[in-house]
C-alpha cells in the first residue's frame, strides 16, 4: 500500500513543485516506486518533467470522473522508478464542476485508490490555493508535507493551511497526519532565513525536518531541461538536500502509514 503524501501550501513560490519532483526522483534513487500527481492547473510538475499542460494526452482532469481509466493517464516520467499523472489547465474547470457534485471532496481519492498498490509513494502536488482541488488532495492523502520558504510572511500563510488541515482531519479525513515542515530557499548568509528557521522550530518542534533545502541555482535551472536536479547536477547542494530529505521521509513514517 502506497504512502500518500500531499505537498501543500496555499502560498505560491514556496517550493511545492520543486519538492514534489525532486523528492520523487530521490525516492526513485532508493528504488521506491513513485507516482507524481500534478493537481495544479499550471502544470509545473508536469512541464518540469517534459510533459506540457497543452499536450493532447490523458491527464488528471480527463480521468477525474472516470477512476477506472486512471492508468491510461499515467506515464513513465523518464526518471527511474517514477511515473507521472500530469496536470492540465482544464483543472481550473474541475473546481467549478465539483461544486455541486455529491462527495465532491473525494474524487481524487477514488482515482488514487485504483493504483494504490502499484506504488510505494504517491506524491500529490497542489495549486497555491485552498480550493476544492487542494481539499481533494488533502482527502486523498494520509500525510501532509508543507514546504515553507524562509521569508517574512511564511508563518502567516502556514497558520491558514493548518486551520484547513484541522477541518479536513475533523470532518473529512481523520487519517491525515502532518508528516513534516521542510524549510526551502534557505540562504545561510541571510539573517532573516536564520530567524525564520528559529521561529518555525519553536512553532513546530515535532514536525520540522532536519534537512533544509538551500537556495540553489541548479534547482532553478533543472525544470527548464525537463529534469529533476539529481538528473541535472547530482553533485549540487540542491540534489544533496533532496536525497537527504528522501531518506528522512522514508525513516519518518506517521502512525497511519506504518
Amino acid at each position: 500500500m502506497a504512502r500518500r503524501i500531499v505537498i501543500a501550501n496555499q502560498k505560491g513560490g514556496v517550493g511545492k513543485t520543486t519538492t514534489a519532483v525532486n523528492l520523487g526522483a530521490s525516492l526513485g534513487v532508493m528504488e521506491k516506486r513513485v507516482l507524481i500527481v500534478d493537481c495544479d492547473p499550471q502544470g509545473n510538475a508536469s512541464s518540469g518533467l517534459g510533459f506540457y499542460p497543452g499536450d493532447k494526452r490523458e491527464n488528471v482532469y480527463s480521468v477525474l470522473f472516470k477512476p477506472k481509466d486512471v492508468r491510461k493517464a499515467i506515464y513513465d516520467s523518464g526518471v527511474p522508478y517514477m511515473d507521472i499523472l500530469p496536470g492540465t489547465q482544464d483543472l481550473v474547470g474541475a473546481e467549478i464542476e465539483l461544486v455541486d457534485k455529491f462527495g465532491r471532496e473525494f474524487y481524487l481519492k477514488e482515482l488514487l485508490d485504483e493504483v494504490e498498490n502499484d506504488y510505494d509513494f504517491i506524491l500529490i502536488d497542489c495549486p497555491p490555493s485552498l480550493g476544492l482541488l487542494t481539499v481533494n488532495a488533502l482527502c486523498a492523502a494520509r500525510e501532509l508535507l508543507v514546504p515553507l520558504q524562509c521569508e517574512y510572511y511564511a508563518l502567516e500563510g502556514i497558520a491558514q493551511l493548518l486551520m484547513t488541515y484541522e477541518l479536513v482531519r475533523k470532518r473529512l479525513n481523520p487519517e491525515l497526519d502532518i508528516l513534516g515542515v521542510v524549510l526551502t530557499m534557505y540562504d545561510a548568509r541571510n539573517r532573516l532565513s536564520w530567524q525564520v528557521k528559529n521561529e518555525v522550530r519553536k512553532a513546530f518542534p515535532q514536525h520540522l525536518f532536519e534537512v533544509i533545502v538551500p537556495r540553489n541555482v541548479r534547482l532553478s535551472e533543472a525544470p527548464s531541461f525537463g529534469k529533476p536536479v539529481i538528473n541535472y547536477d547530482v553533485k549540487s547542494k540542491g540534489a544533496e538536500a533532496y536525497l537527504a530529505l528522501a531518506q528522512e521521509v522514508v525513516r519518518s513514517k506517521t502512525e497511519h502509514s506504518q
Side-chain angles (χ1 to χ4, degrees):
M1 188 167 68
R3 286 178 63 182
R4 300 189 193 185
I5 301 174
V6 55
I7 299 169
N9 188 329
Q10 81 277 11
K11 199 169 181 304
V14 299
K16 286 189 299 293
T17 299
T18 300
T19 296
V21 169
N22 290 294
L23 175 59
S26 298
L27 289 165
V29 169
M30 301 170 73
E31 299 189 356
K32 305 293 185 184
R33 298 165 301 160
V34 180
L35 175 65
I36 302 289
V37 182
D38 189 354
C39 285
D40 188 348
Q42 295 176 75
N44 290 336
S46 304
S47 60
L49 291 167
F51 292 78
Y52 296 95
D55 292 353
K56 301 296 182 187
R57 68 176 82 204
E58 300 288 340
N59 52 60
V60 173
Y61 176 76
S62 69
V63 296
L64 188 60
F65 304 106
K66 299 181 288 183
K68 296 293 183 188
D69 291 342
V70 63
R71 286 183 178 85
K72 295 179 183 177
I74 293 174
Y75 304 91
D76 182 343
S77 71
V79 177
Y81 293 94
M82 190 167 85
D83 291 342
I84 183 163
L85 179 51
T88 170
Q89 293 153 355
D90 294 337
L91 281 168
V92 172
E95 291 264 7
I96 300 163
E97 291 173 51
L98 284 166
V99 165
D100 59 358
K101 290 199 179 291
F102 181 75
R104 61 190 182 182
E105 299 92 354
F106 298 102
Y107 277 78
L108 185 63
K109 180 182 185 302
E110 288 182 27
L111 197 68
L112 299 184
D113 284 347
E114 294 290 325
V115 294
E116 177 164 67
N117 293 325
D118 297 353
Y119 297 97
D120 299 308
F121 287 86
I122 296 176
L123 306 182
I124 309 169
D125 187 29
C126 293
S129 70
L130 293 176
L132 265 175
L133 288 174
T134 297
V135 171
N136 259 260
L138 290 168
C139 289
R142 296 188 190 93
E143 301 173 70
L144 168 63
L145 192 160
V146 183
L148 192 65
Q149 186 180 1
C150 292
E151 55 110 79
Y152 183 70
Y153 294 110
L155 287 172
E156 290 184 11
I158 204 172
Q160 191 179 355
L161 174 64
L162 292 178
M163 283 172 56
T164 302
Y165 159 76
E166 291 293 349
L167 281 172
V168 168
R169 184 176 161 87
K170 184 177 178 181
R171 299 181 181 177
L172 298 168
N173 182 10
E175 290 193 341
L176 187 63
D177 281 322
I178 296 177
L179 174 60
V181 176
V182 59
L183 294 176
T184 60
M185 305 181 198
Y186 184 80
D187 186 346
R189 301 165 300 177
N190 186 327
R191 182 176 174 80
L192 180 59
S193 287
W194 181 79
Q195 289 174 331
V196 170
K197 179 178 74 171
N198 287 340
E199 287 298 317
V200 174
R201 186 166 282 141
K202 279 189 230 167
F204 307 100
Q206 305 300 317
H207 297 297
L208 185 61
F209 281 104
E210 291 176 20
V211 174
I212 296 176
V213 180
R215 282 198 181 275
N216 182 250
V217 174
R218 293 291 191 246
L219 270 178
S220 304
E221 291 173 348
S224 64
F225 291 88
K227 295 178 179 180
V229 71
I230 61 167
N231 293 72
Y232 178 61
D233 184 354
V234 73
K235 294 182 179 178
S236 66
K237 294 291 186 187
E240 289 175 1
Y242 278 108
L243 287 165
L245 180 63
Q247 292 174 345
E248 204 171 339
V249 166
V250 168
R251 290 196 307 267
S252 60
K253 292 185 177 184
T254 60
E255 60 181 341
H256 288 295
S257 61
Q258 288 176 358

